[in-house]
């Protein structure tokens, strides 16, 4: 009889422990890993990452309750440490990895072939080797592209409206980006509008923006289009300071204008981040990246900064003011 009681007790104990383990597993909070190379530290995420977190909140996710977010950035803003940051993120075994831009996406892809990856704000994911086919990405990575072959033309048209007599426009990037195809698109668009162009590049390891802006001023550059690269984004405040110092109008990514840049025209960041968040949501609910096609964000927005305009002596025509989606005072 004692043996039978013991056996019943053992079975009951196993059942209780099993239920407890099942409950613990059910209560596991999904972990989202973010590789953010546009931020100086994980504690100060970039604007796109902030907006994606807001978009996840709009989808009903409460951080700490429904999801946990871990952000990793390259130590000391050193891009040569990017792969270490990606490896550190993978070691946490997140349920999904989120990246912004092609450089971060490639680093994440190189660090794992198993963990789902969602990228946002990538110009050409096929050219960058992220996916073989946008319609059927395969593998563990998918996301959103922002390529618009007409965007450069529209940007230059805006600059011509704002700057009377504009003749020479420079494209600012680094020794790795923007890619040659985008430079060609920029130069072709400028030529069609009767504009001359210069391409200004800084070293990734030791970017000397002061020398670049001094050279632009000496060459009588009338405006600078700042491309989004892993060097220009974290150095946006320095770029803005120099642009104001040399009284050079800039057309930059959205986060530059929020920090004091003059004009931004391009893919709508709010739309891009919202849609990126929806893919994260789908993967957390069981979807596979290979089943989610790479989609294009086509909505654009124009943002202007009147405070900076006053500082450098630029006046916005009424037509530009009326078209602006946002005016920074």
């Amino acid at each position: 009889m004692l043996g039978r009681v013991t056996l019943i007790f053992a079975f009951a104990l196993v059942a209780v422990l099993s239920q407890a383990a099942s409950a613990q597993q059910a209560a596991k909070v999904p972990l989202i890993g973010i590789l953010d190379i546009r931020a100086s530290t994980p504690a100060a995420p970039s604007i796109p990452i902030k907006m994606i977190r807001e978009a996840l909140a709009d989808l009903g996710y409460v951080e700490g309750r429904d999801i946990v977010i871990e952000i990793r950035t390259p130590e000391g803003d050193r891009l040569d440490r990017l792969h270490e940051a990606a490896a550190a993120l993978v070691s946490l075994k997140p349920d999904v990895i989120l990246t912004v831009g092609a450089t971060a996406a490639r680093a994440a892809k190189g660090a794992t072939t198993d963990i789902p990856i969602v990228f946002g704000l990538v110009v050409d994911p096929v050219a960058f080797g992220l996916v073989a086919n946008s319609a059927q990405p395969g593998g563990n990575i998918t996301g959103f592209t922002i390529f618009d072959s007409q965007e450069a033309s529209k940007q230059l048209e805006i600059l011509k409206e704002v700057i009377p007599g504009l003749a020479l426009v420079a494209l600012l990037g680094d020794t790795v980006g923007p890619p040659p195809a985008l430079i060609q698109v920029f130069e072709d668009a400028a030529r069609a509008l009767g504009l001359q162009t210069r391409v200004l590049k800084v070293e990734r390891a030791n970017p000397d923006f002061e020398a670049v802006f001094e050279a632009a001023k000496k060459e009588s550059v009338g405006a600078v289009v700042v491309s989004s690269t892993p060097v220009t984004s974290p150095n946006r405040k320095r770029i803005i300071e120099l642009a104001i110092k040399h009284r050079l109008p800039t057309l930059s990514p959205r986060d530059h204008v929020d920090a004091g840049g003059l004009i931004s025209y391009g893919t709508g960041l709010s739309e891009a981040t919202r849609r990126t968040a929806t893919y994260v949501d789908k993967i957390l609910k069981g979807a596979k990246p290979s089943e989610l096609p790479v989609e294009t964000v086509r909505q654009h927005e124009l943002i202007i900064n009147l405070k900076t305009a006053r500082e450098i002596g630029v006046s916005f025509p009424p037509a530009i003011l009326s078209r602006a989606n946002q005016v920074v005072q």
Side-chain angles (χ1 to χ4, degrees):
M1 176 66 76
L2 183 61
R4 183 179 177 186
V5 171
T6 302
L7 186 60
I8 293 173
F9 176 77
F11 277 123
L13 181 61
V14 169
V16 170
L17 292 175
S18 178
Q19 289 176 350
S22 298
Q24 185 177 12
Q25 186 174 9
K28 178 182 179 293
V29 179
L31 173 61
I32 300 174
I34 297 178
L35 188 60
D36 189 1
I37 67 173
R38 300 177 179 222
S40 54
T41 67
S46 63
I47 288 176
I49 296 303
K50 290 179 182 178
M51 295 180 74
I52 290 174
R53 293 172 85 165
E54 291 171 1
L56 287 169
D58 290 340
L59 289 171
Y61 289 97
V62 177
E63 288 189 40
R65 186 192 72 184
D66 305 307
I67 54 172
V68 173
I69 292 178
E70 286 286 346
I71 300 176
R72 293 294 181 270
T73 61
E75 184 179 343
D77 285 341
R78 288 177 52 186
L79 289 176
D80 59 340
R81 307 296 291 272
L82 178 57
H83 293 288
E84 293 179 18
L89 198 59
V90 168
S91 70
L92 299 176
K93 298 181 180 180
D95 295 275
V96 60
I97 293 175
L98 176 62
T99 67
V100 172
T103 302
R106 282 196 292 192
K109 183 182 179 183
T112 178
T113 57
D114 301 318
I115 299 172
I117 300 169
V118 177
F119 60 77
L121 302 179
V122 171
V123 175
D124 191 340
V126 175
F128 279 107
L130 298 177
V131 298
N133 185 298
S134 292
Q136 298 177 320
N140 66 318
I141 185 167
T142 188
F144 292 87
T145 174
I146 57 173
F147 180 71
D148 178 359
S149 60
Q150 299 301 312
E151 187 171 290
S153 294
K154 295 172 184 175
Q155 291 175 335
L156 294 172
E157 287 171 0
I158 291 170
L159 287 175
K160 285 195 70 172
E161 285 187 67
V162 174
I163 307 164
L166 179 65
L168 179 60
V169 182
L171 178 65
L172 175 61
D174 59 53
T175 50
V176 178
L182 285 187
I183 294 175
Q184 189 64 54
V185 168
F186 170 78
E187 292 177 339
D188 290 345
R191 191 178 302 110
L193 292 170
L195 297 171
Q196 293 182 309
T197 61
R198 295 287 185 276
V199 177
L200 307 173
K201 295 186 176 184
V202 295
E203 295 289 338
R204 283 199 166 185
N206 187 26
D208 188 350
F209 289 103
E210 178 74 58
V212 163
F213 272 90
E214 287 180 356
K217 198 65 178 177
K218 286 180 181 178
E219 291 190 53
S220 299
V221 168
V224 177
V225 176
V226 182
S227 61
S228 180
T229 77
V231 174
T232 57
S233 291
N235 286 286
R236 57 187 173 275
K237 289 185 179 179
R238 179 61 175 156
I239 292 171
I240 292 164
E241 289 171 358
L242 290 168
I244 293 174
K245 173 184 174 181
H246 293 284
R247 298 175 69 83
L248 266 173
T250 58
L251 193 150
S252 319
R254 162 69 181 273
D255 51 357
H256 287 238
V257 178
D258 288 336
L262 181 65
I263 306 169
S264 173
Y265 177 82
T267 300
L269 199 54
S270 58
E271 176 67 8
T273 53
R274 182 191 67 79
R275 292 180 64 181
T276 302
T278 63
Y279 265 22
V280 173
D281 174 51
K282 288 180 179 180
I283 288 174
L284 290 179
K285 291 177 178 176
K288 297 179 180 179
S290 58
E291 301 169 348
L292 300 173
V294 175
E295 296 184 353
T296 302
V297 180
R298 301 189 183 280
Q299 186 182 77
H300 290 74
E301 61 185 7
L302 171 64
I303 303 173
I304 60 177
N305 192 315
L306 290 182
K307 180 177 181 294
T308 300
R310 289 190 292 269
E311 287 189 63
I312 65 175
V314 169
S315 297
F316 285 106
I320 293 290
L321 289 170
S322 66
R323 299 204 314 261
N325 299 91
Q326 179 181 345
V327 176
V328 179
Q329 300 286 347

